[in-house]
Structure formats: C-alpha cells, structure tokens
Amino acid sequence: MFTQTPTRNLAQTLRKRVLGSDLLDLLTGPHGVDRYTELVAPTWTLGEARAKVVDVRRTTPRSVTVTLAPNDAFASAHTVKAGQHVNLTLDIDGRRHTRCYSPANAEGSSRLELTIGQHDGGLVSNHLYERARRGMVVGLDGVGGDFVLPARRPRRILLVSGGSGITPVMAMLRTLIAERHRGEVAFIHYARVPEEACYREELVAHNELPGVRVLHGYTRSDGGDLIGRFGREHLAAAMLAPDAVFVCGPTTLVESVREHCDNVFTESFVPPVFDAPANPSGGRITFAESGIDVVDDGRSLLEQAESAGLTPQNGCRMGICHTCTRRKTAGTVRNLVTGAVSTCPGEDVQICVSVPVGDVDLAL
C-alpha cells in the first residue's frame, strides 16, 4: 500500500495553508486564487472539485475504465458510498457537459474508478471512450444517490447487474469483500456476449472466495453460467431467499428481479419515457433571462426550452444529477418522477423532469 512520506505530508499542509490564506485571496484580486494556481496544476484549486485521470484501460470493445485522482476540494468535502454516483463535468468543443457515473471502487478509496459504456449517440460516453487519456482533467460536481448498502449489512445479499449497470454493484461487492463480510454474497451479471462483460476476470477470481458466488449470463451468446434472462431458475442458481437484493441495469432486468424477489433496491441509468399529458395546461412559459416565452405543450421544461432554441446545461435528463436545476420565479410545476408540486416563487426545480401547471416563469 502506498503511504505518503512526512516530507510530502508537510508540503501538502503548507500548500493548503498558503492557498487558503485571506491575504493571498486578496492579492489575487477578483479572479480568486484558483485562476492562478490552475495555471501551475489544473487540480490545484480550493473552490472547484476536479480530478486528474491517472489510468485508462479499455478491456472490452464497448467500454473504457478511467481511474481518477480527485483534488483536495473534492476529497475534503465528499465521501462516496458504494452504489452512489458522482457528477463528472467535461468540456467538449468549447461546451461544458455533465453526466453522472457510479464509481466501481470500494468505499474508502482515494481514487475513483469509472467504467463507462459506449452508447449510440452518447456524446460524453463516446468522447471518453475514444479520447480519455492519462493527464486529462475533469470536473467533479457533487455526490448523490440512495442506492447504497445499509449501515447494518444484510447477511445474505444478492447483487444483479446488466451491461454498464455493473459499476455500482461492483463497488458493493468490492466493499463487502474488503470488509470481510461474514455472510453470503451472490453476484449475477448479464452482458450481450462474453467479450463485453466488464470485470469478467476479476469476478471469476472472486468466485473462489469463501461465501461468494458469481454467475454470468449472456443474452446473445452461449457459454455463460445461465441461459436466458433473469427468472426463477436464475434466482435458484444464485441464492434462495436473499435478505436483500441490489439490482442495476435495463428496466426489463429491474422489473424481472422485482417480480421474483422481495426487499429489492434498484438503480437504473436508462432515462424514463414520460408521456406528455393528453391535455397540456396551455399556460405560458416565460424564460425571463432570454426574453422568450412559449405556450406549454405538455413536455418537460427542458425539452420546451430546447425547442425554443435555448441550450440550458443538463446531464442525466432523468432527475438524478441536478445539473439542470433552475430557479422558478413564479408559477406552479409538477415533478414527473416524485409527483411533487412546486407552487412557491423562488424555488429551484429540475427542469428535465418538471412540467408546467399553468403559467410559469423561469430564470433561464
């Protein structure tokens, strides 16, 4: 295990004290110290959480695994639990884009390991798949998600994942192994073909550990431990009567697990499809800062803003990353995910999953 030398610890302490001093902030003027220290090293920032890519691996034809070293601004403010996601920000062709990804590393690691699947039309995922390199610097904007192991670990745990949904449950498996979990853990991972199964070699090795059982299912190829899709037979092969089940993957997989298991905890990074109301409110949406207003057609505020020619920042488009949050200065909106209704002026709303209920004014 790597340990820092006393000299390096002292240097880091001195750097923090100098960069954090009120005098230095005053001397650097209106831009702040971050604008100057980043010229020396892009991750030397106090106010902005960033990370440097320290390793890149392409172990399958459709994914890339990047290891990030977060700066102090992130590490001192955030603890990432197994199963949670981080918001990664990247500049592509002069525009900033944010997406949420679940690290696959065990809890307590000083590094973040992201395995990102390539998707048709996926701007950020494809950019990272093709161009991720050591030394690249990305932004980190917060940690979120309730898809986590309970503080009191269940004794018999079943983990199920499909495709790139493996990362949060992989973090759970690694965490349980690192903790020397005394119960039983079964892991089922589904991929289209063996070559696309992320972490396949590591999972095979984990299968040799006491109390751990790993099974692979391939939906477009033979040779897996399981045939077909998740059902009663797959559950019986992995673990009967688990105390808790954690599943992440396509909606069809999540629904199948829910059908056959109790005490299921789920996560999915497939954007839900929201049907526009049959009778839109007909109210006016005013994008105050842009001087544009439109008649509500029932779609989300984000979609209607884009149709009006605006380009608000957004990320997951499913109410997870909060990148699209904007201030509602007047009117009423309804959250399509939670059903919550916001009526008070001056409230922040997620425009990717909110629809108007009458006239609405947005600071956009």
Side-chain angles (χ1 to χ4, degrees):
M1 180 179 294
F2 174 78
T3 57
Q4 293 181 335
T5 64
T7 301
R8 182 172 179 179
N9 282 329
L10 178 60
Q12 287 189 340
T13 301
L14 291 173
R15 177 168 62 86
K16 290 181 182 179
R17 288 181 179 176
V18 171
L19 295 181
S21 69
D22 293 336
L23 176 59
L24 184 61
D25 192 55
L26 177 64
L27 292 174
T28 52
H31 301 294
V33 65
D34 284 353
R35 296 290 77 80
Y36 295 90
T37 57
E38 67 182 1
L39 297 176
V40 180
T43 55
W44 281 18
T45 55
L46 291 177
E48 295 185 20
R50 298 179 183 178
K52 178 185 288 186
V53 176
V54 295
D55 188 41
V56 178
R57 291 177 289 127
R58 293 176 173 84
T59 57
T60 79
R62 294 178 60 86
S63 70
V64 59
T65 298
V66 296
T67 302
L68 305 179
N71 65 358
D72 292 337
F74 180 87
S76 61
H78 301 287
T79 298
V80 185
K81 296 182 179 180
Q84 288 189 305
H85 61 262
V86 297
N87 295 331
L88 182 146
T89 301
L90 193 66
D91 290 331
I92 302 176
D93 296 330
R95 290 193 59 188
R96 182 159 294 185
H97 302 270
T98 301
R99 299 292 186 271
C100 52
Y101 297 109
S102 291
N105 51 274
E107 289 183 13
S109 173
S110 61
R111 299 289 190 260
L112 298 177
E113 180 180 301
L114 308 180
T115 293
I116 300 161
Q118 184 185 30
H119 300 287
D120 294 337
L123 176 65
V124 176
S125 62
N126 289 342
H127 182 88
L128 289 170
Y129 176 80
E130 296 171 358
R131 303 187 185 183
R133 66 187 187 284
R134 293 183 181 182
M136 174 187 286
V137 174
V138 299
L140 295 176
D141 182 22
V143 176
D146 299 321
F147 184 63
V148 297
L149 293 166
R152 185 175 181 177
R153 310 302 199 212
R155 180 165 180 79
R156 292 166 52 80
I157 299 174
L158 174 61
L159 307 173
V160 184
S161 62
S164 58
I166 192 174
T167 52
V169 289
M170 191 69 192
M172 293 179 179
L173 177 65
R174 287 171 163 175
T175 297
L176 292 168
I177 291 173
E179 293 175 349
R180 300 183 183 275
H181 180 64
R182 295 186 178 182
E184 298 177 51
V185 182
F187 192 123
I188 303 177
H189 178 60
Y190 295 91
R192 299 193 304 181
V193 294
E195 294 75 21
E196 295 181 6
C198 300
Y199 300 105
R200 182 171 54 163
E201 294 182 2
E202 180 180 341
L203 288 174
V204 170
H206 288 332
N207 205 25
E208 304 298 322
L209 297 175
V212 178
R213 180 170 177 75
V214 176
L215 299 170
H216 277 94
Y218 304 121
T219 58
R220 299 185 185 180
S221 174
D222 297 328
D225 304 299
L226 304 171
I227 300 175
R229 302 182 183 275
F230 185 90
R232 188 174 296 120
E233 293 181 357
H234 291 196
L235 176 61
M239 175 183 288
L240 290 173
D243 296 323
V245 182
F246 299 86
V247 54
C248 183
T251 303
T252 52
L253 174 61
V254 172
E255 291 175 349
S256 295
V257 173
R258 282 191 177 278
E259 180 182 349
H260 294 90
C261 301
D262 297 321
N263 204 19
V264 177
F265 302 85
T266 69
E267 181 72 288
S268 176
F269 290 107
V270 178
V273 177
F274 299 116
D275 294 326
N279 299 304
S281 72
R284 300 202 71 83
I285 307 172
T286 301
F287 303 109
E289 295 177 359
S290 305
I292 295 174
D293 65 273
V294 297
V295 177
D296 172 36
D297 62 14
R299 294 179 298 160
S300 72
L301 290 166
L302 173 60
E303 292 176 291
Q304 296 194 61
E306 291 175 333
S307 293
L310 303 178
T311 56
Q313 189 175 4
N314 64 88
C316 67
R317 302 181 76 94
M318 57 190 298
I320 293 179
C321 72
H322 294 268
T323 304
C324 69
T325 299
R326 292 293 182 274
R327 180 60 54 92
K328 174 177 64 67
T329 55
T332 300
V333 301
R334 179 170 58 86
N335 187 299
L336 293 169
V337 175
T338 66
V341 175
S342 169
T343 59
C344 297
E347 289 187 328
D348 290 335
V349 298
Q350 294 171 270
I351 64 173
C352 72
V353 291
S354 294
V355 294
V357 181
D359 295 342
V360 174
D361 289 357
L362 282 179
L364 176 63

